Amino acid sequence: MSKKEKVLDTILSQAMLPLFFYEDADVSFEIIRAMYNAGVRVIEYTNRGKEALSNLYNIKQRVSKEMPDLYLGIGTIKTGLEAETFVDAGADFIVSPIVDSEVAMVANNYDLLYIPGCMTPSEIHVAQQYHAKLIKIFPANILGQAFIASIRDLFPGQLFIPTGGVEIEAGNIAGWFRSGVCAVGMGSSLLAVIYWIRGFITSYIMIRLKHWNWFSLVNNKLSLRPYGATIKRPAARQNIRGYPESFSSTPGLGRNGLPHPYQLFFDNPSVNSSLKFLRKTPWARTRVEDLYVEFHKEIDK
């Protein structure tokens, strides 16, 4: 199986493509590590800053050693030169907000997955001429779920992934899959407030991912429900030491309250390090606790 096919299969099985950019390479790597430990195996790193190229190269070197089964692609690619440069830096696939013949040519020359962004049926048709197996519907918040439901029969067999406008809310996500997409792209809605210091980043992403039964999409794309839906909302300022233990007695959760592949708190050294940091840092701890309460408010709605 070629890398192109492996990346596509991973996106389909994961049913989600996380995407983000941060100017600090070390922080970016911590974010990727946290997502990897949550079960994510394919990530889009976007070309949204001057540091993107050097960051991708450095991160890819570290990922290859520590997370060899993780595919790291590059997004926001608009020219053939950009595509060539980032492929040389180690990108495993290419995502673009537009349809561009030169970008498509680079991807095809290296036999990499090319995910062009389309907004109209005409653009989708052009993308198909460039052998795009997966097409990004962008901006999804403008086009909406009804757009995909309306055009999917015009392009039988074509795989679509919306980006922009996808929220971590069961009804919203289920609606996208009902409309006919095979996966969803998630940036700020999944990784909101990640641009904090290292300890907060890791812990926040774990809390965010752990509360959502994301990988139920593999078995039933319409049965999303939050992990911990039966947990009573904690009082504000709950002690950070209680986080892992507070989930351990929840029905349906596994060891340490974290079902596979979410066994993070006790299995990963960086996680334990982050928790220790939070215990010693009042302002960061307060922020995480507020987020924790906020998520339970969402769950209780």
Side-chain angles (χ1 to χ4, degrees):
M1 184 182 292
S2 67
K3 178 185 285 188
K4 177 192 296 186
E5 294 170 327
K6 291 179 180 178
V7 172
L8 180 58
D9 283 351
T10 304
I11 293 174
L12 295 180
S13 62
Q14 187 170 281
M16 168 183 66
L17 181 59
L19 56 119
F20 81 99
F21 167 77
Y22 191 70
E23 58 268 20
D24 186 282
D26 290 333
V27 171
S28 296
F29 182 74
E30 289 296 333
I31 294 169
I32 290 171
R33 175 189 277 159
M35 287 193 285
Y36 179 84
N37 288 329
V40 173
R41 291 297 178 268
V42 57
I43 298 170
E44 174 189 341
Y45 193 72
T46 57
N47 178 28
R48 294 292 185 92
K50 64 182 185 300
E51 302 88 354
L53 180 60
S54 60
N55 283 1
L56 181 78
Y57 177 80
N58 293 329
I59 293 168
K60 184 62 179 177
Q61 301 303 306
R62 299 167 69 178
V63 163
S64 297
K65 296 177 181 178
E66 185 175 325
M67 298 165 267
D69 58 337
L70 175 71
Y71 295 107
L72 185 61
I74 185 66
T76 320
I77 297 300
K78 302 186 291 293
T79 69
L81 178 60
E82 287 179 340
E84 283 276 5
T85 303
F86 279 95
V87 168
D88 287 343
D92 292 316
F93 60 95
I94 301 172
V95 184
S96 177
I98 60 173
V99 184
D100 184 82
S101 60
E102 293 184 357
V103 175
M105 184 180 299
V106 171
N108 290 329
N109 287 343
Y110 287 95
D111 197 28
L112 297 179
L113 181 66
Y114 171 49
I115 308 176
C118 297
M119 193 175 181
T120 66
S122 295
E123 291 176 346
I124 293 172
H125 176 70
V126 172
Q128 288 185 324
Q129 308 313 302
Y130 298 141
H131 310 290
K133 294 186 176 181
L134 178 60
I135 290 176
K136 177 171 77 169
I137 299 301
F138 176 82
N141 60 318
I142 302 299
L143 296 171
Q145 299 168 5
F147 173 78
I148 296 176
S150 298
I151 59 94
R152 65 182 180 184
D153 290 338
L154 299 176
F155 305 98
Q158 180 63 58
L159 300 174
F160 295 109
I161 178 171
T163 300
V166 180
E167 301 295 335
I168 297 190
E169 191 275 320
N172 181 271
I173 294 173
W176 284 111
F177 282 102
R178 290 193 193 99
S179 73
V181 305
C182 65
V184 292
M186 305 191 77
S188 58
S189 59
L190 179 67
L191 301 174
V193 203
I194 60 176
Y195 308 123
W196 290 76
I197 57 179
R198 177 176 177 273
F200 175 56
I201 289 169
T202 304
S203 299
Y204 175 78
I205 293 176
M206 287 187 302
I207 290 172
R208 186 107 188 179
L209 289 176
K210 185 166 70 67
H211 274 286
W212 288 89
N213 189 4
W214 181 263
F215 289 91
S216 67
L217 289 169
V218 176
N219 300 316
N220 184 350
K221 290 184 172 61
L222 302 182
S223 67
L224 278 175
R225 66 175 180 79
Y227 276 138
T230 59
I231 303 175
K232 293 182 179 179
R233 186 173 69 229
R237 304 292 181 268
Q238 176 175 324
N239 193 310
I240 191 70
R241 294 177 182 273
Y243 279 11
E245 292 80 0
S246 67
F247 299 106
S248 61
S249 60
T250 304
L253 300 188
R255 181 170 65 86
N256 298 325
L258 297 173
H260 180 77
Y262 297 88
Q263 295 185 4
L264 308 177
F265 282 101
F266 299 105
D267 293 346
N268 188 282
S270 68
V271 172
N272 286 322
S273 174
S274 296
L275 290 174
K276 290 178 181 177
F277 167 82
L278 288 170
R279 292 184 187 117
K280 297 178 180 179
T281 313
W283 69 264
R285 182 171 64 251
T286 297
R287 182 59 179 149
V288 172
E289 289 167 352
D290 288 343
L291 288 166
Y292 184 73
V293 173
E294 173 189 335
F295 293 137
H296 278 283
K297 288 180 179 177
E298 294 176 6
I299 290 170
D300 290 345
K301 288 180 179 179

